[in-house]
Each structure stands twice: as structure tokens, then as C-alpha cells.
Amino acid sequence: MSIAEPSFAPARAERSARRGLAARLLRRPSAVAGLGLLGAILAMAALADVAYPVDPLDMVGTPFLWPGADPGFPLGTDMMGRDIAAGIFHGARVSLLIGAVATLVSLVIGVGVGAVAGFFRGRADHALMHVTELFQTIPPFLFAIVIVAILQPTMTNVVLAIGLTSWPSLARLVRAEVLRLRDGEMVQASIVLGLSDARIILTHVLPNVLAPIVVSASIMVASAILTESSLAFLGLGDPNIVSWGSMVGAGREVLRTDWYVATVPGLAIVAAVLALNLLGDGLNDALDPRQNRR
Amino acid sequence: MVAPWLNRRRLRFWAGRLAHMALVVLGIAVVNFFLLHLAPGDAAQVLAGEAGSATPEYMAALRRQFGLDQPLPVQFAQYLGNLLTFNLGFSFRHGLPVLELIGQRLPATLLLMTASIGFAVLAGSALGVVAARNAGRLADTLISTLALLFYATPVFWIGLVLVVVFSVGLDWLPVGGMTSVEAGYAGWDHVRDVARHLVLPAATLGLFYLAIYTRLMRAAMLEVTTQDFIRTAVAKGLKPRRIALRHVLRNALLPVVTMLGVQVGSILGGAVLVETIFAWPGLGRLAFEALFQRDLNLLLGILLCSSAVVVVVNLAVDLLYTVLDPRIELAR
């Protein structure tokens, strides 16, 4: 007779708790605002090709049309006669994509490093934490600038640079959580059952660390979007695509006379980052068991 | 007899700290070396700033100096040797050794950093205290919303908006630079002039951190207030003002100080954006120039020195910690 592997992962109680998560999230006005805002930006990204089928880098109108001056260009045109609204729509796609993929990269590194360090402790932990601290010491934005400058500014390299420089705090968080679970009965029982380390980490440890990872991820996407726009503002973006940051950077040259060119795309960045931060705060409150009891 | 503050435990702490710092600097050197070799073309071209801008003789000398015909470990040893003798190479674009360039620009960045952090900590803490003491009321909602907005706003955009409003629109403050060169001020006039130039860049860089410190201070104040020693203080009959300052604030300052150490690196990054916008003659502006002149070696030198600044500030934070909370021992 073989002993069935006990199911530690989501039991019924937890499943119903998870169903309750959506409800708890929707009870918080700030989380709802964040979700709504994020939904609008996602819709803009999805509809960019339908709403503005022409390349947003094309000259389509008279230069320097102020917002509202021409109903055909609700947000106006820039110094090259490019439609700012088209840039905002297509830029939404770039920002969200880069933010999401860069976060994925740093999730893989951060969760990997944190889980291995916390689970195996000892020498592996020591070595990995030294590397983590090293990456925390090097100023992340400067580091990203150097990586992009050396590797050439393409979308892939921007994603890599952001992903490579934003994982350390996540690694620390995951490590702390894993260390806490490591001595728990669940992991000990799995070891007694003879499960492989990889299996224990993947099926028993990580699912229980999911909540803080999810919260961090939404904040990380927000800061990845900020970093991407900052790189693009400095001219370190992919020159063939429109990004909110590069639009602000281009508008900087006409700041004295036509300040709307730089300010309008900036508002889009604020909206996207604000939405993700609100969502992160909401998730944090909703996932925190101490808060639920109130 | 040794001074009481210099006991064996502390000595051991400092020895450990220094060894640790050396390890971190070594690690940064490894990363830098790796990046140098990741760049297209051979390292000599990178070191010379841009292929073709240096004479063939200098390129040959560089290749010899860095032993580029040698195996990688030897190259690394040589690179380390250069670092240990504070040789970060030469910037052809500027016609100066990299270290000298960085030395020239560092003070301006440190001034900007100190001013913006000072502004962020003071104003942020004050706002956080006000928000915590009015938790749930209008003032709290207002402050928290403002903090949320600043936290989401890109630094460079704040900079541009402040320029539009205060320099172009109202004409209150200078658009950029650090001094009014043509005026040739001296003494206190010079100080006042620099301060006027500092306001906008410091505010731009500081607003993001102001948001962080506001949220942190608010949470810390609310947290500390629930602890036992505060109840004791109230029971002793201390005045609310004294409790707020002496007991709550002092303890709430701990997370603020911790945050300071964590944030230095990010502030140095933000300085690149702010100094670029306001033509502030610091390290960040130098990094931006190096970026555009493809002076990668200068860029790497700036990365190395910025990391060193982070290490030093973190050491200072550890020290400050023991001053704020005597319970914290320096031993590990």
C-alpha cells in the first residue's frame, strides 16, 4: 500500500477564502478605483490598433494643435504633427507589456533566489544573500542605464535591464517567508514522505508564499513602468516605438511654449502607476489575514 | 585603558563591517568588469571612450595596460590593480581622468541629495504625524491622497511641470544650472544664489520620497501609539505633546532611518533625471553626458562611485541607528 500524498495545498477552507478575496477587494473603494483605471488602460492598449490604425509616429495633422482645438485630435498634435492620443493608446501597450514582462523576469530571479536561499539555508543562503545585497547596493536606475547603454536600446534589452535590477527586495521577502515555512509541520511532513526538494518548494512552499508575491508583483509592474518611462525620457528607449516616456522627452524641447506636449503623456504614466499601486494596496489589505478579522 | 565606547565588541563590529564593505566593493568591481566586456568591440575601445577618438598608440598602450591579450583572470587582476590604485581610466571626451571628473561633480550631487532627502524627511514626517493624529479625518484623507499621487508621478515629469509653473510661468526661480555665472556673486550672495537654484531640483527629487516618508511616518506613528510604553507614559501623566515628541516620534523615526539607507541608491538614480532636466552640474548630469558621448568607461566609473556612496551611507545609517535606539547592539 502506498501512502497517498497528503494534500496540504489549498484545502476547502482556503478555496472559499480565495473566493472571498474578490469580494473583499471589491469592498475597498481605492482597490475598485485602481481596478477601473487599470481596466481602462488595458482597454486602450487592446484597442490601439482599432482606434488608431496608423503608426503613431506618422505625421497626421498640423503641428502644435492644442488639446481641444481640433475635434479630430482631442489631445492635440506635437511639433511633428503626430497625434498625441494615438501615442497615448499605443504607448499604453508598450508600457504595460514592458512592465509585465520585466516584472516576470524579476519574479523568476527573485522568487528563485529567495526560495533556494530560504529553503536550503546555510552556505547557499549566505552566497545568494551576498549577491542580493550586491545588487541592492548598486543604484538600480543607474545600473539599468548602463545595461541598456552597453547592450543597445531595444525593447528586449530594456526589459532585461529593468528585470535584472528590480528583483533583490522580492528575493529578500520570499526568503523570509520560506524560512518561516521551512520549519513548519507541512514541510517537515513532506520531507518525511521523501518528496524531492524541488517538489516541496514548488508544490508546498511557494503556493503558501503566493499572497505577498502577488502584492509585490503589482507594485513591481508599477515601478517597472516608471523605470521604462524614465529610460525612454533619457532617450534610452527603442527608437522605433512610441512610449509615454519618450513622448514626454520629445515634448521637453517645446516646454516653454507648448507645454501640453510633455504634460499629457505624463498624466498617462501617473494614471497607470497609480492604478497598479492602488490595486497593490487593495490586494495587500485583502490578503492580510490580520485585517480580515476586523 | 580604552575609551568605553571602543570596547572589543565594537571593534569586532567595525572590523566585520569593513571586511563586508570590501567584499561588496569587490563584487561591484566584478559586475563592472563583466559589463565592460559585454560592450561591443574590445575593452580598449570602450576605455578610450569611442573607437577612433584615441590615437592608435594610446589604444596599444591601453591594451598593454589592461593586458587585453592575456587570459581573462589576468585581465581581471589587472583591472582590480587599477581600481586599488584609484585608476578608473581616462575620459577622452573631457580630457580628464575619470576619477578627477567624478570628484569635481560629486559635491553638487551630494548637495542635491542632502537637500532633497532633508526636505522629504522633514516635510514627509510632519505630514505623516499630522495624518496620524487626524487618522480617518479630512486632513488624513487629503494628505494620504497627495502622498499616493506623488508616489505615482514620474520624477522627470514633476521636474518639467515645476519648470513650467515656477520658472516659465511665474518666473520666480531659475530654469536650471547651479549658479548665475554672469552675476559673479561671492560670499553670502553666492550661497543665496545656489540655494535659489537648488529649490526646484531638490523639490523635484524629494517629492517622491516625501510620499514614502509620509506613508511610513503615518503608519509608524499609529503603530507605536498602541504600544505599552506609550500607555505607561500617559499613565505617568505626561503631556500629550511630550509623549508625541519624546516617545512616539523617536521610535517612529527608526523605520524612517532604515528607509534612508534603502533609498540612497534610488535617489542617486533619480539624480540622473533631475540633474539632466535642471542642468545641475553633478554626477547624474555627467552620467547623462557620458551616455550620449558613448563614454562607457566614464559611465562605469560613475556606477562604481555611486555604489561606493551607497555603501558609505548605509554605514552611517547603522551608526545613526545605535544613537536613536540604544537597545540596538552593533554586534552581529
Side-chain angles (χ1 to χ4, degrees):
Chain A
M1 194 188 95
S2 68
I3 304 170
E5 184 187 327
S7 110
F8 297 117
R12 207 176 305 132
E14 198 170 319
R15 226 176 297 136
S16 72
R18 208 167 276 173
R19 209 174 308 129
L21 174 63
R24 279 208 298 280
L25 203 56
L26 291 178
R27 269 207 302 271
R28 285 157 217 283
S30 61
V32 172
L35 276 174
L37 209 51
L38 189 63
I41 295 163
L42 275 169
M44 276 179 9
L47 295 176
D49 277 338
V50 184
Y52 297 95
V54 196
D55 186 338
L57 286 170
D58 283 355
M59 212 175 123
V60 288
T62 330
F64 297 121
L65 277 176
W66 276 65
D70 182 336
F73 303 102
L75 296 180
T77 59
D78 69 0
M79 54 279 175
M80 310 273 280
R82 294 175 293 209
D83 187 350
I84 292 180
I88 299 282
F89 270 65
H90 284 267
R93 186 178 284 190
V94 173
S95 286
L96 290 178
L97 187 69
I98 291 185
V101 182
T103 300
L104 211 65
V105 172
S106 59
L107 274 179
V108 169
I109 307 176
V111 173
V113 168
V116 169
F119 191 82
F120 293 104
R121 294 184 289 200
R123 214 170 279 171
D125 181 27
H126 212 69
L128 285 175
M129 280 305 109
H130 267 302
V131 174
T132 308
E133 194 179 342
L134 179 64
F135 272 82
Q136 262 180 329
T137 307
I138 304 177
F141 184 59
L142 257 178
F143 199 6
I145 287 179
V146 173
I147 295 175
V148 176
I150 284 181
L151 294 178
Q152 306 306 322
T154 64
M155 212 156 139
T156 320
N157 290 338
V158 169
V159 165
L160 265 180
I162 300 174
L164 279 175
T165 52
S166 55
W167 59 268
S169 52
L170 181 71
R172 278 180 186 278
L173 178 85
V174 172
R175 172 180 174 269
E177 292 288 314
V178 172
L179 272 177
R180 195 173 53 76
L181 288 169
R182 180 72 174 73
D183 293 319
E185 286 170 11
M186 188 177 64
V187 171
Q188 296 302 321
S190 307
I191 294 173
V192 171
L193 282 173
L195 298 189
S196 70
D197 290 340
R199 178 144 186 198
I200 298 176
I201 293 177
L202 288 177
T203 62
H204 296 314
V205 176
L206 288 185
N208 287 292
V209 190
L210 210 56
I213 294 180
V214 167
V215 173
S216 306
S218 70
I219 309 283
M220 280 162 80
V221 176
S223 75
I225 289 178
L226 275 181
T227 309
E228 185 277 331
S229 67
S230 305
L231 285 171
F233 172 76
L234 288 179
L236 280 174
D238 197 322
N240 302 315
I241 52 172
V242 168
S243 136
W244 292 337
S246 67
M247 289 170 78
V248 178
R252 200 187 147 200
E253 268 131 56
V254 292
L255 198 63
R256 282 175 172 278
T257 47
D258 301 270
W259 49 265
Y260 69 93
V261 180
T263 37
V264 171
L267 290 175
I269 305 174
V270 176
V273 176
L274 187 64
L276 285 157
N277 283 338
L278 285 173
L279 182 63
D281 281 357
L283 279 171
N284 191 30
D285 292 346
L287 287 168
D288 186 352
R290 274 176 305 172
Q291 301 255 342
N292 296 338
R293 269 188 250 122
R294 285 186 196 161
Chain B
M1 213 183 103
V2 264
W5 53 272
L6 199 70
N7 56 28
R8 184 175 291 170
R9 180 182 268 166
R10 290 213 170 165
L11 268 179
R12 203 185 302 140
F13 167 80
W14 287 111
R17 248 350 264 223
L18 280 178
H20 182 79
M21 267 170 78
L23 210 66
V24 169
V25 173
L26 182 75
I28 296 164
V30 174
V31 172
N32 254 9
F33 182 74
F34 180 72
L35 285 170
L36 195 64
H37 281 264
L38 216 62
D42 81 347
Q45 283 168 351
V46 177
L47 290 166
E50 193 178 69
S53 67
T55 59
E57 293 79 38
Y58 182 75
M59 296 285 281
L62 263 183
R63 290 205 173 87
R64 247 194 332 277
Q65 188 196 346
F66 284 85
L68 292 180
D69 41 354
Q70 314 267 335
L72 228 65
V74 180
Q75 286 186 36
F76 182 62
Q78 249 153 349
Y79 177 76
L80 271 187
N82 281 328
L83 284 190
L84 286 177
T85 51
F86 296 104
N87 178 5
L88 295 181
F90 192 81
S91 167
F92 265 83
R93 289 295 182 154
H94 292 269
L96 279 173
V98 167
L99 196 68
E100 204 179 315
L101 265 174
I102 292 176
Q104 282 177 4
R105 301 291 195 101
L106 190 61
T109 296
L110 291 181
L111 176 65
L112 175 63
M113 270 175 66
T114 319
S116 49
I117 278 296
F119 161 65
V121 169
L122 288 178
S125 302
L127 285 175
V129 170
V130 171
R133 297 194 73 175
N134 295 288
R137 273 176 275 172
L138 181 67
D140 179 29
T141 315
L142 219 64
I143 291 173
S144 297
T145 310
L146 215 60
L148 211 57
L149 269 177
F150 284 145
Y151 191 61
T153 312
V155 166
F156 57 89
W157 192 73
I158 293 186
L160 294 185
V161 171
L162 289 183
V163 166
V164 169
V165 175
F166 292 101
S167 302
V168 179
L170 297 170
D171 199 18
W172 285 356
L173 292 160
V175 181
M178 193 171 170
T179 50
S180 319
V181 182
E182 68 286 351
Y185 289 121
W188 281 109
D189 286 335
H190 175 70
V191 174
R192 213 169 300 137
D193 185 41
V194 171
R196 259 170 57 81
H197 282 84
L198 184 60
V199 174
L200 286 186
T204 303
L205 190 53
L207 277 177
F208 177 80
Y209 302 98
L210 174 121
I212 294 181
Y213 291 117
T214 303
R215 296 181 70 168
L216 202 70
M217 198 61 179
R218 180 183 177 277
M221 289 286 285
L222 290 177
E223 169 97 27
V224 173
T225 314
T226 64
Q227 287 185 12
D228 289 343
F229 69 93
I230 299 298
R231 201 187 317 138
T232 311
V234 175
K236 273 199 306 190
L238 291 185
K239 293 201 181 77
R241 214 188 139 74
R242 190 174 160 82
I243 295 176
L245 287 180
R246 226 11 241 168
H247 295 260
V248 182
L249 190 64
R250 185 165 176 177
N251 281 281
L253 269 180
L254 284 177
V256 169
V257 171
T258 313
M259 199 46 128
L260 209 67
V262 176
Q263 298 292 356
V264 212
S266 123
I267 296 166
L268 278 165
V272 180
L273 295 161
V274 172
E275 290 180 8
T276 303
I277 292 168
F278 291 98
W280 186 261
L283 268 193
R285 172 97 192 150
L286 188 66
F288 182 73
E289 289 162 9
L291 192 65
F292 268 78
Q293 298 157 347
R294 303 246 359 118
D295 196 342
L296 289 181
N297 185 48
L298 178 55
L299 203 54
L300 285 172
I302 295 170
L303 187 66
L304 189 79
C305 290
S306 309
S307 310
V309 170
V310 175
V311 172
V312 172
V313 172
N314 273 296
L315 200 65
V317 164
D318 280 353
L319 260 177
L320 196 58
Y321 230 101
T322 57
V323 174
L324 280 175
D325 191 346
R327 284 173 304 180
I328 294 168
E329 292 271 343
L330 277 179
R332 36 171 63 208

